[in-house]
Coordinates of all heavy atoms in Angstrom, one line a residue:
M1 N 0.9 -1.2 0.0 CA 0.0 0.0 0.0 C 0.9 1.2 0.0 O 1.8 1.4 0.9 CB -0.9 0.0 1.2 CG -1.9 1.1 1.3 SD -3.5 0.8 0.5 CE -4.2 -0.4 1.6
L2 N 0.7 2.1 -1.0 CA 1.5 3.3 -1.1 C 0.5 4.5 -1.2 O -0.3 4.6 -2.1 CB 2.4 3.3 -2.3 CG 3.5 2.3 -2.4 CD1 4.2 2.3 -3.7 CD2 4.5 2.6 -1.3
D3 N 0.6 5.4 -0.2 CA -0.4 6.6 -0.2 C -1.8 6.1 -0.4 O -2.6 6.8 -1.2 CB 0.1 7.6 -1.3 CG 1.3 8.3 -0.9 OD1 1.7 8.3 0.2 OD2 2.0 8.9 -1.9
G4 N -2.2 5.1 0.2 CA -3.6 4.6 0.1 C -3.9 3.8 -1.2 O -5.0 3.5 -1.4
T5 N -2.9 3.6 -2.0 CA -3.1 2.9 -3.2 C -2.4 1.5 -3.1 O -1.3 1.4 -2.7 CB -2.4 3.7 -4.4 OG1 -3.0 5.0 -4.5 CG2 -2.6 3.0 -5.7
R6 N -3.2 0.5 -3.5 CA -2.6 -0.9 -3.4 C -1.8 -1.1 -4.7 O -2.3 -1.0 -5.8 CB -3.8 -1.9 -3.3 CG -4.4 -1.9 -2.0 CD -5.7 -2.6 -2.0 NE -5.6 -4.0 -2.4 CZ -6.7 -4.8 -2.5 NH1 -7.9 -4.4 -2.3 NH2 -6.5 -6.1 -2.9
V7 N -0.5 -1.4 -4.5 CA 0.4 -1.5 -5.7 C 1.1 -2.8 -5.5 O 1.6 -3.2 -4.5 CB 1.4 -0.4 -5.7 CG1 2.4 -0.5 -6.8 CG2 0.7 1.0 -5.8
A8 N 1.2 -3.5 -6.7 CA 2.1 -4.7 -6.7 C 3.4 -4.3 -7.4 O 3.4 -3.7 -8.4 CB 1.3 -5.8 -7.6
L9 N 4.5 -4.7 -6.8 CA 5.8 -4.5 -7.3 C 6.4 -5.7 -7.9 O 6.3 -6.8 -7.3 CB 6.7 -3.9 -6.2 CG 6.4 -2.6 -5.6 CD1 7.3 -2.3 -4.5 CD2 6.3 -1.5 -6.6
V10 N 6.9 -5.6 -9.1 CA 7.5 -6.8 -9.8 C 8.9 -6.4 -10.3 O 9.1 -5.3 -10.8 CB 6.6 -7.1 -11.0 CG1 7.3 -8.3 -11.8 CG2 5.2 -7.5 -10.6
R11 N 9.8 -7.3 -10.0 CA 11.2 -7.1 -10.5 C 11.5 -8.3 -11.4 O 11.4 -9.4 -11.0 CB 12.1 -7.0 -9.3 CG 13.6 -6.7 -9.8 CD 14.5 -6.5 -8.7 NE 15.9 -6.3 -9.2 CZ 16.9 -5.9 -8.5 NH1 16.8 -5.8 -7.2 NH2 18.1 -5.8 -9.0
I12 N 11.9 -7.9 -12.6 CA 12.4 -9.0 -13.5 C 13.8 -8.5 -13.9 O 14.0 -7.5 -14.6 CB 11.5 -9.1 -14.8 CG1 10.1 -9.4 -14.4 CG2 12.1 -10.1 -15.7 CD1 9.1 -9.4 -15.5
D13 N 14.8 -9.2 -13.4 CA 16.2 -8.8 -13.5 C 16.4 -7.4 -13.0 O 16.1 -7.2 -11.9 CB 16.7 -9.0 -15.0 CG 16.6 -10.4 -15.5 OD1 16.9 -11.3 -14.7 OD2 16.2 -10.6 -16.7
D14 N 16.8 -6.5 -13.8 CA 17.0 -5.1 -13.4 C 15.9 -4.2 -13.7 O 15.9 -3.0 -13.5 CB 18.3 -4.5 -13.9 CG 19.5 -5.1 -13.2 OD1 19.4 -5.5 -12.1 OD2 20.6 -5.1 -13.9
D15 N 14.8 -4.8 -14.3 CA 13.6 -4.0 -14.6 C 12.6 -4.1 -13.5 O 12.3 -5.2 -12.9 CB 13.0 -4.5 -15.9 CG 13.9 -4.3 -17.1 OD1 14.7 -3.4 -17.1 OD2 13.8 -5.2 -18.0
V16 N 12.0 -3.0 -13.1 CA 11.0 -3.0 -12.0 C 9.7 -2.4 -12.6 O 9.7 -1.5 -13.4 CB 11.4 -2.2 -10.8 CG1 12.6 -3.0 -10.1 CG2 11.8 -0.8 -11.1
Y17 N 8.6 -2.9 -12.0 CA 7.3 -2.5 -12.5 C 6.4 -2.3 -11.3 O 6.5 -3.0 -10.3 CB 6.7 -3.5 -13.4 CG 7.5 -3.9 -14.6 CD1 8.4 -4.9 -14.6 CD2 7.4 -3.2 -15.8 CE1 9.2 -5.2 -15.7 CE2 8.2 -3.5 -16.9 CZ 9.1 -4.5 -16.8 OH 9.9 -4.8 -17.9
A18 N 5.5 -1.3 -11.4 CA 4.5 -1.0 -10.3 C 3.2 -1.0 -11.0 O 2.9 -0.3 -11.9 CB 4.8 0.3 -9.6
I19 N 2.3 -1.9 -10.6 CA 1.0 -2.1 -11.2 C -0.1 -2.2 -10.1 O 0.2 -2.7 -9.0 CB 1.0 -3.4 -12.1 CG1 -0.3 -3.5 -12.9 CG2 1.3 -4.6 -11.3 CD1 -0.2 -4.6 -14.0
G20 N -1.2 -1.7 -10.4 CA -2.3 -1.7 -9.4 C -2.5 -3.1 -8.9 O -2.5 -4.1 -9.7
D21 N -2.7 -3.3 -7.6 CA -2.8 -4.6 -7.0 C -4.2 -5.2 -7.0 O -4.4 -6.3 -6.5 CB -2.2 -4.6 -5.6 CG -2.0 -6.0 -5.0 OD1 -1.7 -6.9 -5.8 OD2 -2.2 -6.1 -3.8
V22 N -5.1 -4.5 -7.6 CA -6.5 -5.0 -7.6 C -6.9 -5.4 -9.0 O -6.9 -4.6 -9.9 CB -7.5 -4.0 -7.1 CG1 -8.9 -4.5 -7.0 CG2 -7.1 -3.5 -5.7
C23 N -7.2 -6.7 -9.2 CA -7.7 -7.1 -10.5 C -8.9 -6.3 -11.0 O -9.7 -5.9 -10.1 CB -8.0 -8.6 -10.4 SG -8.6 -9.3 -12.0
S24 N -9.0 -6.0 -12.2 CA -10.1 -5.3 -12.8 C -11.4 -6.1 -12.9 O -12.5 -5.6 -13.2 CB -9.8 -4.6 -14.1 OG -9.5 -5.6 -15.1
H25 N -11.3 -7.4 -12.7 CA -12.4 -8.3 -12.8 C -13.2 -8.4 -11.5 O -14.4 -8.3 -11.4 CB -12.0 -9.7 -13.3 CG -13.1 -10.6 -13.5 ND1 -13.1 -11.9 -13.0 CD2 -14.2 -10.5 -14.2 CE1 -14.2 -12.5 -13.3 NE2 -14.9 -11.7 -14.1
Q26 N -12.4 -8.7 -10.4 CA -13.0 -8.7 -9.1 C -11.9 -8.2 -8.1 O -10.7 -8.0 -8.5 CB -13.3 -10.2 -8.7 CG -14.5 -10.7 -9.4 CD -14.9 -12.1 -9.0 OE1 -14.3 -12.7 -8.2 NE2 -15.9 -12.7 -9.7
D27 N -12.3 -8.0 -6.9 CA -11.4 -7.4 -5.9 C -10.5 -8.5 -5.4 O -10.7 -9.1 -4.3 CB -12.2 -6.8 -4.7 CG -11.3 -6.1 -3.7 OD1 -10.1 -6.0 -4.0 OD2 -11.8 -5.7 -2.7
V28 N -9.5 -8.8 -6.2 CA -8.5 -9.9 -5.9 C -7.1 -9.3 -6.0 O -6.8 -8.5 -6.9 CB -8.7 -11.0 -6.9 CG1 -7.5 -12.0 -6.8 CG2 -10.0 -11.8 -6.6
S29 N -6.2 -9.7 -5.1 CA -4.8 -9.1 -5.1 C -4.0 -9.8 -6.2 O -3.7 -11.0 -6.2 CB -4.2 -9.4 -3.8 OG -2.9 -8.9 -3.8
L30 N -3.6 -8.9 -7.2 CA -2.7 -9.4 -8.3 C -1.3 -9.9 -7.8 O -0.7 -10.7 -8.4 CB -2.6 -8.4 -9.4 CG -3.9 -8.1 -10.2 CD1 -3.6 -7.0 -11.2 CD2 -4.4 -9.4 -10.9
S31 N -0.9 -9.3 -6.7 CA 0.5 -9.6 -6.2 C 0.6 -11.1 -5.7 O 1.7 -11.6 -5.5 CB 0.9 -8.7 -5.1 OG 0.0 -8.8 -4.0
E32 N -0.6 -11.7 -5.6 CA -0.5 -13.2 -5.3 C -0.5 -14.0 -6.5 O -0.4 -15.3 -6.4 CB -1.8 -13.5 -4.4 CG -1.8 -12.8 -3.1 CD -3.0 -13.1 -2.3 OE1 -3.6 -14.2 -2.4 OE2 -3.5 -12.1 -1.6
G33 N -0.5 -13.4 -7.7 CA -0.5 -14.2 -8.9 C 0.9 -14.4 -9.4 O 1.9 -14.0 -8.8
E34 N 1.0 -15.0 -10.6 CA 2.3 -15.4 -11.1 C 2.8 -14.4 -12.1 O 2.0 -13.8 -12.9 CB 2.1 -16.8 -11.9 CG 3.4 -17.4 -12.4 CD 3.2 -18.7 -13.0 OE1 2.2 -19.4 -12.7 OE2 4.1 -19.2 -13.7
V35 N 4.1 -14.2 -12.1 CA 4.7 -13.3 -13.0 C 5.1 -14.0 -14.3 O 5.8 -15.1 -14.2 CB 5.9 -12.6 -12.4 CG1 6.7 -11.7 -13.5 CG2 5.5 -11.7 -11.2
L36 N 4.7 -13.6 -15.4 CA 5.1 -14.2 -16.7 C 6.3 -13.3 -17.2 O 6.1 -12.3 -17.9 CB 4.0 -14.3 -17.7 CG 2.7 -14.9 -17.1 CD1 1.6 -14.9 -18.1 CD2 2.9 -16.3 -16.6
C37 N 7.5 -13.7 -17.0 CA 8.7 -12.9 -17.2 C 8.8 -12.6 -18.7 O 9.0 -11.4 -19.1 CB 9.9 -13.5 -16.7 SG 10.0 -13.7 -14.9
D38 N 8.8 -13.6 -19.6 CA 9.0 -13.4 -21.0 C 7.9 -12.4 -21.6 O 8.2 -11.6 -22.4 CB 9.0 -14.7 -21.8 CG 10.2 -15.5 -21.4 OD1 11.2 -15.0 -20.9 OD2 10.2 -16.7 -21.8
E39 N 6.7 -12.6 -21.1 CA 5.6 -11.8 -21.7 C 5.5 -10.4 -21.0 O 4.8 -9.6 -21.4 CB 4.3 -12.5 -21.5 CG 4.2 -13.8 -22.3 CD 4.8 -15.0 -21.7 OE1 5.4 -14.9 -20.6 OE2 4.7 -16.1 -22.2
R40 N 6.2 -10.2 -19.9 CA 6.1 -9.0 -19.0 C 4.6 -8.8 -18.6 O 4.0 -7.8 -18.9 CB 6.6 -7.8 -19.8 CG 8.1 -7.9 -20.2 CD 9.0 -7.7 -19.1 NE 10.3 -8.4 -19.4 CZ 11.5 -8.2 -18.8 NH1 11.6 -7.2 -18.0 NH2 12.5 -8.9 -19.1
E41 N 4.1 -9.9 -18.0 CA 2.7 -9.8 -17.6 C 2.6 -10.4 -16.2 O 3.4 -11.2 -15.7 CB 1.8 -10.7 -18.6 CG 1.7 -10.1 -20.0 CD 1.0 -11.0 -21.0 OE1 0.4 -12.0 -20.5 OE2 0.9 -10.7 -22.1
L42 N 1.5 -10.0 -15.5 CA 1.1 -10.5 -14.2 C -0.2 -11.2 -14.3 O -1.2 -10.7 -14.9 CB 1.1 -9.4 -13.2 CG 0.8 -9.7 -11.8 CD1 1.8 -10.7 -11.2 CD2 0.8 -8.4 -11.0
E43 N -0.3 -12.5 -13.9 CA -1.5 -13.3 -14.0 C -2.3 -13.3 -12.7 O -1.8 -13.5 -11.6 CB -1.1 -14.7 -14.3 CG -2.3 -15.6 -14.6 CD -1.9 -17.0 -14.9 OE1 -1.0 -17.6 -14.2 OE2 -2.4 -17.6 -15.9
C44 N -3.6 -13.0 -12.9 CA -4.5 -13.1 -11.7 C -4.7 -14.5 -11.4 O -5.0 -15.4 -12.2 CB -5.8 -12.4 -12.1 SG -7.0 -12.5 -10.7
W45 N -4.5 -14.8 -10.1 CA -4.6 -16.2 -9.7 C -6.0 -16.8 -9.7 O -6.2 -18.0 -9.8 CB -4.0 -16.4 -8.2 CG -4.7 -15.6 -7.2 CD1 -4.4 -14.3 -6.8 CD2 -5.8 -16.0 -6.5 NE1 -5.3 -13.9 -5.9 CE2 -6.2 -14.9 -5.6 CE3 -6.6 -17.1 -6.4 CZ2 -7.3 -14.9 -4.8 CZ3 -7.7 -17.2 -5.5 CH2 -8.0 -16.1 -4.7
K46 N -7.0 -15.9 -9.7 CA -8.4 -16.4 -9.5 C -9.0 -17.0 -10.8 O -9.5 -18.1 -10.8 CB -9.3 -15.3 -8.9 CG -10.6 -15.8 -8.5 CD -11.3 -15.1 -7.4 CE -12.5 -15.8 -7.0 NZ -13.3 -15.0 -6.0
H47 N -8.9 -16.2 -11.8 CA -9.5 -16.7 -13.1 C -8.6 -16.7 -14.3 O -9.0 -17.0 -15.4 CB -10.8 -15.8 -13.4 CG -11.8 -15.8 -12.4 ND1 -12.2 -14.6 -11.8 CD2 -12.5 -16.8 -11.8 CE1 -13.1 -14.9 -10.9 NE2 -13.4 -16.2 -10.9
G48 N -7.3 -16.2 -14.1 CA -6.3 -16.4 -15.1 C -6.1 -15.3 -16.1 O -5.3 -15.4 -17.0
S49 N -6.8 -14.1 -15.9 CA -6.5 -13.0 -16.7 C -5.1 -12.6 -16.5 O -4.6 -12.6 -15.4 CB -7.4 -11.8 -16.4 OG -8.7 -12.0 -16.9
T50 N -4.4 -12.1 -17.5 CA -3.1 -11.6 -17.4 C -3.1 -10.1 -17.8 O -3.9 -9.7 -18.6 CB -2.1 -12.3 -18.3 OG1 -2.5 -12.2 -19.6 CG2 -2.0 -13.8 -17.9
F51 N -2.2 -9.3 -17.1 CA -2.2 -7.9 -17.4 C -0.7 -7.5 -17.7 O 0.2 -8.0 -17.1 CB -2.6 -7.1 -16.1 CG -4.0 -7.4 -15.7 CD1 -4.3 -8.5 -14.9 CD2 -5.0 -6.6 -16.2 CE1 -5.7 -8.7 -14.6 CE2 -6.4 -6.8 -15.9 CZ -6.7 -7.9 -15.1
S52 N -0.6 -6.6 -18.7 CA 0.7 -6.1 -19.1 C 1.3 -5.3 -18.0 O 0.7 -4.4 -17.4 CB 0.5 -5.2 -20.4 OG 1.7 -4.5 -20.6
L53 N 2.5 -5.6 -17.7 CA 3.3 -4.8 -16.7 C 3.7 -3.5 -17.3 O 4.0 -2.5 -16.6 CB 4.5 -5.6 -16.2 CG 4.3 -6.8 -15.4 CD1 5.6 -7.6 -15.3 CD2 3.7 -6.5 -14.1
I54 N 3.6 -3.4 -18.6 CA 4.0 -2.1 -19.3 C 2.9 -1.1 -19.3 O 3.1 0.1 -18.9 CB 4.4 -2.4 -20.8 CG1 5.4 -3.6 -20.9 CG2 4.9 -1.2 -21.5 CD1 6.7 -3.3 -20.3
D55 N 1.7 -1.5 -19.6 CA 0.6 -0.5 -19.7 C -0.7 -0.9 -19.0 O -1.7 -0.2 -19.0 CB 0.3 -0.2 -21.2 CG -0.3 -1.4 -21.9 OD1 -0.6 -2.5 -21.3 OD2 -0.4 -1.3 -23.2
G56 N -0.7 -2.1 -18.3 CA -1.8 -2.5 -17.5 C -3.0 -3.1 -18.3 O -4.0 -3.5 -17.7
S57 N -2.8 -3.2 -19.6 CA -3.9 -3.7 -20.4 C -4.1 -5.2 -20.2 O -3.2 -6.0 -20.0 CB -3.7 -3.4 -21.9 OG -2.5 -4.1 -22.3
P58 N -5.4 -5.6 -20.2 CA -5.7 -7.1 -20.0 C -5.3 -7.8 -21.3 O -5.5 -7.4 -22.4 CB -7.2 -7.1 -19.8 CG -7.7 -5.9 -20.4 CD -6.6 -4.9 -20.3
Q59 N -4.7 -9.0 -21.1 CA -4.2 -9.8 -22.2 C -5.0 -11.1 -22.4 O -4.8 -11.8 -23.4 CB -2.7 -10.1 -22.1 CG -1.8 -8.9 -21.9 CD -1.9 -8.0 -23.1 OE1 -1.6 -8.4 -24.2 NE2 -2.2 -6.7 -22.9
A60 N -5.9 -11.4 -21.4 CA -6.7 -12.6 -21.5 C -7.9 -12.4 -20.7 O -7.9 -11.7 -19.6 CB -5.9 -13.8 -20.9
L61 N -9.0 -12.9 -21.1 CA -10.3 -12.9 -20.4 C -10.2 -13.7 -19.2 O -9.4 -14.6 -19.1 CB -11.4 -13.4 -21.4 CG -11.7 -12.6 -22.6 CD1 -12.6 -13.3 -23.5 CD2 -12.2 -11.2 -22.3
P62 N -11.1 -13.4 -18.2 CA -12.3 -12.6 -18.3 C -12.2 -11.1 -18.1 O -13.1 -10.4 -18.3 CB -13.2 -13.2 -17.2 CG -12.3 -13.7 -16.2 CD -11.1 -14.2 -16.9
A63 N -11.1 -10.6 -17.6 CA -10.9 -9.2 -17.4 C -10.9 -8.5 -18.7 O -10.3 -9.0 -19.7 CB -9.6 -8.9 -16.6
T64 N -11.6 -7.4 -18.8 CA -11.7 -6.6 -20.0 C -11.2 -5.2 -19.8 O -11.0 -4.4 -20.8 CB -13.1 -6.5 -20.6 OG1 -14.0 -6.0 -19.6 CG2 -13.6 -7.9 -21.0
K65 N -11.0 -4.8 -18.6 CA -10.5 -3.4 -18.3 C -9.1 -3.4 -17.8 O -8.7 -4.4 -17.1 CB -11.4 -2.7 -17.3 CG -12.9 -2.6 -17.7 CD -13.7 -2.0 -16.6 CE -15.2 -1.9 -17.1 NZ -16.1 -1.7 -16.0
P66 N -8.3 -2.4 -18.1 CA -7.0 -2.3 -17.6 C -6.9 -2.0 -16.1 O -7.8 -1.6 -15.5 CB -6.3 -1.2 -18.4 CG -7.5 -0.3 -18.7 CD -8.7 -1.2 -18.9
V67 N -5.7 -2.3 -15.6 CA -5.4 -1.9 -14.2 C -4.3 -0.8 -14.4 O -3.6 -0.7 -15.4 CB -4.9 -3.0 -13.4 CG1 -5.9 -4.1 -13.2 CG2 -3.6 -3.7 -14.0
P68 N -4.2 0.1 -13.4 CA -3.3 1.2 -13.5 C -1.8 0.8 -13.4 O -1.6 -0.2 -12.7 CB -3.6 2.2 -12.4 CG -4.3 1.3 -11.4 CD -5.0 0.2 -12.2
V69 N -1.0 1.4 -14.0 CA 0.5 1.2 -13.8 C 1.1 2.5 -13.4 O 0.6 3.6 -13.7 CB 1.2 0.7 -15.1 CG1 0.7 -0.7 -15.4 CG2 0.9 1.6 -16.3
Y70 N 2.2 2.4 -12.7 CA 2.9 3.6 -12.2 C 4.4 3.6 -12.6 O 4.9 2.5 -12.8 CB 2.8 3.6 -10.7 CG 1.3 3.4 -10.2 CD1 0.9 2.2 -9.8 CD2 0.5 4.5 -10.2 CE1 -0.5 2.1 -9.4 CE2 -0.8 4.4 -9.8 CZ -1.3 3.2 -9.4 OH -2.6 3.0 -9.0
G71 N 5.0 4.7 -12.6 CA 6.4 4.8 -12.9 C 7.2 4.2 -11.7 O 6.9 4.4 -10.6
A72 N 8.2 3.4 -12.1 CA 9.0 2.7 -11.1 C 10.4 2.6 -11.6 O 10.6 2.4 -12.8 CB 8.4 1.3 -10.7
R73 N 11.4 2.7 -10.7 CA 12.8 2.6 -11.1 C 13.6 2.1 -9.9 O 13.2 2.3 -8.7 CB 13.3 3.9 -11.7 CG 13.3 5.0 -10.7 CD 13.9 6.3 -11.3 NE 14.0 7.3 -10.3 CZ 14.7 8.4 -10.4 NH1 15.5 8.6 -11.5 NH2 14.8 9.3 -9.4
L74 N 14.7 1.5 -10.2 CA 15.7 1.1 -9.2 C 16.7 2.2 -8.9 O 17.3 2.7 -9.9 CB 16.4 -0.1 -9.7 CG 15.9 -1.5 -9.3 CD1 16.8 -2.6 -9.9 CD2 15.9 -1.7 -7.8
V75 N 16.8 2.6 -7.7 CA 17.8 3.6 -7.3 C 18.6 3.1 -6.1 O 18.0 2.9 -5.0 CB 17.1 4.9 -7.0 CG1 18.2 6.0 -6.6 CG2 16.3 5.5 -8.1
D76 N 19.9 2.8 -6.3 CA 20.7 2.3 -5.3 C 20.1 1.1 -4.5 O 20.1 1.0 -3.3 CB 21.0 3.4 -4.2 CG 21.8 4.5 -4.9 OD1 22.6 4.3 -5.8 OD2 21.7 5.7 -4.4
G77 N 19.5 0.2 -5.3 CA 19.0 -1.0 -4.8 C 17.6 -0.9 -4.2 O 17.0 -1.8 -3.7
Q78 N 17.0 0.3 -4.2 CA 15.7 0.6 -3.7 C 14.7 0.8 -4.9 O 15.2 1.3 -5.9 CB 15.6 1.8 -2.8 CG 16.6 1.8 -1.7 CD 16.1 1.2 -0.4 OE1 14.9 1.3 -0.2 NE2 16.9 0.6 0.3
I79 N 13.5 0.5 -4.7 CA 12.5 0.8 -5.8 C 11.8 2.1 -5.5 O 11.2 2.2 -4.4 CB 11.5 -0.4 -5.9 CG1 12.2 -1.7 -6.3 CG2 10.5 -0.1 -7.0 CD1 11.3 -2.9 -6.4
E80 N 11.8 3.0 -6.4 CA 11.1 4.3 -6.3 C 9.8 4.1 -7.2 O 9.9 3.7 -8.3 CB 11.9 5.4 -6.8 CG 12.9 5.9 -5.9 CD 13.6 7.2 -6.4 OE1 13.3 7.7 -7.5 OE2 14.4 7.7 -5.6
V81 N 8.7 4.5 -6.6 CA 7.4 4.4 -7.3 C 6.8 5.8 -7.3 O 6.8 6.5 -6.3 CB 6.5 3.4 -6.7 CG1 5.1 3.4 -7.4 CG2 7.1 2.0 -6.7
V82 N 6.3 6.2 -8.4 CA 5.6 7.5 -8.5 C 4.1 7.3 -8.6 O 3.6 6.7 -9.6 CB 6.1 8.3 -9.8 CG1 5.4 9.7 -9.9 CG2 7.6 8.5 -9.7
I83 N 3.4 7.8 -7.6 CA 1.9 7.7 -7.6 C 1.3 9.1 -7.8 O 1.8 10.0 -7.2 CB 1.5 7.1 -6.2 CG1 2.1 5.8 -5.9 CG2 -0.1 7.0 -6.2 CD1 1.5 4.6 -6.6
G84 N 0.3 9.1 -8.6 CA -0.5 10.4 -8.7 C 0.1 11.5 -9.5 O -0.2 12.6 -9.3
E85 N 0.9 11.1 -10.5 CA 1.4 12.1 -11.5 C 0.9 11.8 -12.9 O 0.6 10.7 -13.2 CB 2.9 12.2 -11.5 CG 3.4 12.9 -10.3 CD 5.0 13.1 -10.4 OE1 5.6 12.8 -11.4 OE2 5.5 13.6 -9.4
Ligands
FES101 S1 -10.6 -12.0 -10.3 FE1 -8.9 -11.6 -11.6 S2 -9.5 -12.6 -13.5 FE2 -11.2 -12.8 -12.2

């Protein structure tokens, strides 16, 4: 939770991603799902929709709406996330 916003953080090698932690299909935590590294997607554990870590767009049904993504970067081993810009 960052500034009241539920965010899932994903690190793939030296790339970091910050994506809304609530599935757009139901109120389910995406951070409990599986990361698809090659596809750069996060899979919802409940019904299997996957979301792009790049732009939050759904890549598989049943979800049809995107989830928000946020700017994230690695700085001295820490992850910086920008919320609300
Ligand atoms: S709750 Fe995430 S796909 Fe249904």
Side-chain angles (χ1 to χ4, degrees):
M1 183 90 69
L2 295 172
D3 289 340
T5 302
R6 288 166 58 185
V7 176
L9 298 176
V10 176
R11 181 175 180 176
I12 302 173
D13 299 323
D14 286 335
D15 296 327
V16 291
Y17 302 93
I19 186 168
D21 189 35
V22 182
C23 182
S24 65
H25 182 232
Q26 290 180 1
D27 186 6
V28 166
S29 177
L30 291 177
S31 60
E32 297 176 32
E34 185 175 344
V35 175
L36 309 178
C37 295
D38 290 345
E39 294 84 354
R40 304 281 155 159
E41 294 173 5
L42 182 57
E43 182 179 50
C44 179
W45 59 270
K46 188 153 189 185
H47 302 119
S49 285
T50 59
F51 296 89
S52 167
L53 293 168
I54 309 294
D55 64 10
S57 61
Q59 305 298 305
L61 295 172
T64 58
K65 296 178 184 165
V67 294
V69 291
Y70 307 98
R73 64 180 183 160
L74 264 179
V75 179
D76 296 330
Q78 306 272 329
I79 299 176
E80 281 187 359
V81 178
V82 179
I83 302 281
E85 286 188 4

